[in-house]
Amino acid sequence: MGICRGSNNGGIKRMKFGLSLLSLSPDSASLITSSRRIVLPSSIEMASATERIPSRSVFLGVDVGTGSARAGLFSEEGRLLGSASSPIQIWKQGDCIEQSSTDIWHAVCAAVKTVCHSADVTAEEVVGLGFAATCSLVAIDADGSPVSVSLSGDERRNIIVWMDHRAVEQAERINSRRAPVLQYCGGSVSPEMQAPKLLWVKENLKESWSVAFRWMDLSDWLAYRATGDDTRSLCTTVCKWTYLGHAHMQSASEKDSHNMEARGWDDEFWEEIGLGDIIDGNHSKIGRSVAFPGHPLGSGLTPAAAIELDLLAGTPVGTSLIDAHAGGVGVMDSVPGPENCGHGSYSEADMDICHRMVLVCGTSTCHMAVSRSKLFIPGVWGPFWSAMLPEYWLTEGGQSATGALLDHVVENHVAAPFLFNRAASEGKSVFELLNNILESMVAELDVPFLAALTEEIHVLPDFHGNRSPYADPKSKGMVCGLNLDRSEKQLALLYLATVQSIAYGTRHIVEQCNSHGHKIDTLLACGGLAKNQLYIQEHANIIGCPIILPRENESVLLGSAILGAVASKSYPSIREAMRALNAPGQVIHPSKDPRLKRYHDVKYEIFQSLYKQQLSYRSMMAEALNHR
């Protein structure tokens, strides 16, 4: 298939196209690690993954989230055989949030070893491996050792975490230039993207800037650490680095991705924002070679990485995905047939993948939709070519704090200690207990439906800024309707109002996408929050769409494992692997009660008015402070 080309290529015409270098396999006897060179004794003979015939084929997915590294094993039918996790360190100081790549790699190795042991899966049976991770920024030197990105100078802290907002001012300056490349990320870069973070490091940590030899997205670094191949993913580079995937080659196909040159860098953009030095060496610091997700890297696992992971050297490793995008790959084809969906009017067009949006619900929530043509949506990231599904344009909305917001609301309430003690004694999660409290309040207060409990409480969930569709990192959270009640019931009401506000934010993103060319009528949800029945039902009622849950809970791990399945040649493409390994579970339908619809429509109007009020207050205070 040929590349989709857009008519608006103003940013492309001004590029200085560079040449890519073929990916080189690391030396089979050594591998540069975070702080030292590991040399394998020549007497150790390692069996190549290609020399063994396993009794079964198992696909391994690794996902590094904000708080832990996780590993999952999947059968050829897409069944989860087992999963394991290992915690990772995080340092937080104001807007600066940092991690250590050394610590993360140790956690990955621990999770992989644990899951293989607990699931009784041998190294020979693992035929492919894929990595996904948060879109955090990793700095390493020429030896692969960590380079500090911290004002503390701590050499361990070589990762700026995705949610770090230190670069708000740099993002504003970049956006003020209105470079043509910005039209492919919703019109502006977020401080959560890599260009503003790189500019912050250059301006504030000059020594680190001079020493850093590679700047990598975390998932790309994991793949590099495992294989020694520095090929970057179209997912990371297009979504977070302003790489123009549709300029990647004049013609290409997923099966020929190894020949694709890194032609999507807009050198003039980097020069204009003050980062011209980062493109030196034919873009070696940010990526000379870029490939579709799932493309096999190097010669697979290096001998050193194989020892650390207890796997076989040569095990195929696929080019990586950002964690949310792996969730999309792991769930987007989990759609039941018309006879099972409860939607008798479903047509073939309705079932098309371009009518779906995936909600990857974790610490934050990402909203992923694809289209065959590029759709420009103000305030929503994209269109990103081949950033999730090869040769589809990706639209990516998002909310910067969802799971993190619910944790914040609950943990900071005065009733939280009592609630946590109760939950522990009853063997339930805090959210299960809150859901039960709300159900009991419906009968106690004689309200017509559960949602009506929040009649007097309204929340704007922008406690960590607004990612979409306002694209306003300065937006703040707002709560209307507080009183002096310190009880668990009052906490339950605040929790419910916060859940609803997150759903109103998703409704806003869906409406923004549909008003600019999408035809989204079905949602699929995965991630930790998708396991909360109340959370999902409120989303279905508020947005008015059915929400399909996957058969397997660990969709991000499955998406990561699919990368390994494609790299191992078990499937010829990402989409064919998705069709084989994705599977639907429960379908949550919106309520048909017209009273409930009217109620949410009114609360949605209030939700939107809160942001308008905040803008007005912001303007009033700015005028007061600037008054002479």
Side-chain angles (χ1 to χ4, degrees), residues 490-555:
Q490 186 62 26
L491 171 54
L493 293 178
L494 182 58
Y495 155 73
L496 175 58
T498 305
V499 168
Q500 291 170 339
S501 74
I502 293 169
Y504 296 135
T506 295
R507 174 173 169 175
H508 196 187
I509 291 168
V510 171
E511 289 181 354
Q512 180 82 337
C513 290
N514 283 347
S515 67
H516 287 81
H518 277 286
K519 296 179 180 179
I520 296 160
D521 57 21
T522 301
L523 303 181
L524 300 99
C526 64
L529 291 177
K531 301 171 186 177
N532 184 329
Q533 190 75 14
L534 179 142
Y535 184 91
I536 295 299
Q537 187 64 63
E538 287 298 291
H539 273 70
N541 292 342
I542 287 168
I543 302 162
C545 293
I547 300 182
I548 303 169
L549 302 178
R551 180 189 66 194
E552 305 296 334
N553 289 328
E554 301 292 355
S555 297

Side-chain angles (χ1 to χ4, degrees), residues 54-134:
S55 59
R56 58 177 172 168
S57 294
V58 176
F59 309 120
L60 171 60
V62 172
D63 167 40
V64 176
T66 307
S68 66
R70 303 184 306 136
L73 295 163
F74 293 86
S75 70
E76 292 177 287
E77 294 75 38
R79 291 282 185 180
L80 179 65
L81 303 176
S83 64
S85 66
S86 182
I88 56 179
Q89 289 180 286
I90 189 165
W91 291 270
K92 295 183 180 180
Q93 186 172 3
D95 288 331
C96 295
I97 307 174
E98 298 152 355
Q99 289 179 323
S100 160
S101 64
T102 302
D103 171 63
I104 286 175
W105 181 253
H106 291 160
V108 166
C109 293
V112 169
K113 291 176 181 178
T114 298
V115 73
C116 289
H117 176 75
S118 62
D120 195 23
V121 171
T122 66
E124 290 83 0
E125 291 174 321
V126 177
V127 299
L129 164 62
F131 291 98
T134 62

Side-chain angles (χ1 to χ4, degrees), residues 275-316:
L275 293 174
D277 48 337
I278 207 166
I279 62 177
D280 293 344
N282 192 27
H283 311 98
S284 60
K285 291 186 177 181
I286 57 176
R288 295 178 293 189
S289 178
V290 182
F292 283 115
H295 167 69
L297 292 171
S299 299
L301 284 179
T302 63
I307 285 179
E308 293 172 301
L309 293 164
D310 269 357
L311 298 174
L312 296 185
T315 300

Side-chain angles (χ1 to χ4, degrees), residues 207-482:
E207 183 176 352
S208 293
W209 183 257
S210 65
V211 171
F213 186 76
R214 285 187 175 91
W215 295 96
M216 309 182 78
D217 243 72
L218 178 54
S219 61
D220 282 335
W221 178 82
L222 289 166
Y224 168 70
R225 180 66 177 76
T227 68
D229 188 337
D230 189 24
T231 296
R232 314 295 175 94
S233 170
L234 270 171
C235 178
T236 58
T237 53
V238 171
C239 293
K240 305 302 172 185
W241 296 74
T242 71
Y243 188 83
L244 297 178
H246 51 289
H248 204 54
M249 281 188 71
Q250 296 302 312
S251 62
S253 71
E254 183 180 359
K255 296 176 182 178
D256 196 32
S257 62
H258 62 285
N259 290 324
M260 298 174 74
E261 298 177 357
R263 293 189 170 188
W265 295 117
D266 186 342
D267 292 358
E268 199 163 324
F269 165 75
W270 293 101
E271 291 167 355
E272 286 178 353
I273 67 172
L275 293 174
D277 48 337
I278 207 166
I279 62 177
D280 293 344
N282 192 27
H283 311 98
S284 60
K285 291 186 177 181
I286 57 176
R288 295 178 293 189
S289 178
V290 182
F292 283 115
H295 167 69
L297 292 171
S299 299
L301 284 179
T302 63
I307 285 179
E308 293 172 301
L309 293 164
D310 269 357
L311 298 174
L312 296 185
T315 300
V317 178
T319 308
S320 68
L321 282 166
I322 298 168
D323 54 356
H325 303 64
V329 168
V331 76
M332 202 163 209
D333 263 321
S334 301
V335 179
E339 68 282 1
N340 298 322
C341 194
H343 252 243
S345 62
Y346 262 22
S347 66
E348 188 173 341
D350 290 327
M351 297 296 289
D352 186 82
I353 199 167
C354 295
H355 288 251
R356 307 169 198 160
M357 174 177 277
V358 174
L359 310 184
V360 185
C361 314
T363 303
S364 64
T365 293
C366 293
H367 306 68
M368 325 291 286
V370 296
S371 57
R372 277 298 188 180
S373 58
K374 58 182 176 181
L375 301 173
F376 294 95
I377 304 171
V380 179
W381 294 345
F384 297 138
W385 187 76
S386 290
M388 187 172 75
L389 301 188
E391 303 193 44
Y392 282 85
W393 292 89
L394 172 67
T395 294
E396 182 184 350
Q399 294 162 290
S400 294
T402 51
L405 176 57
L406 292 174
D407 289 343
H408 175 80
V409 166
V410 173
E411 292 168 4
N412 285 280
H413 194 276
V414 67
F418 305 100
L419 193 70
F420 277 96
N421 287 337
R422 273 189 60 195
S425 65
E426 296 180 21
K428 297 178 180 178
S429 73
V430 171
F431 297 113
E432 283 181 292
L433 193 56
L434 286 168
N435 294 348
N436 292 341
I437 292 172
L438 290 168
E439 289 289 351
S440 68
M441 292 176 70
V442 173
E444 177 185 330
L445 300 176
D446 193 27
V447 294
F449 37 75
L450 185 143
L453 292 170
T454 61
E455 176 186 0
E456 297 179 347
I457 305 179
H458 310 285
V459 176
L460 183 70
D462 297 349
F463 284 55
H464 198 58
N466 182 282
R467 188 186 298 172
S468 306
Y470 294 128
D472 181 2
K474 292 184 176 180
S475 184
K476 307 297 182 187
M478 299 173 69
V479 182
C480 173
L482 294 178

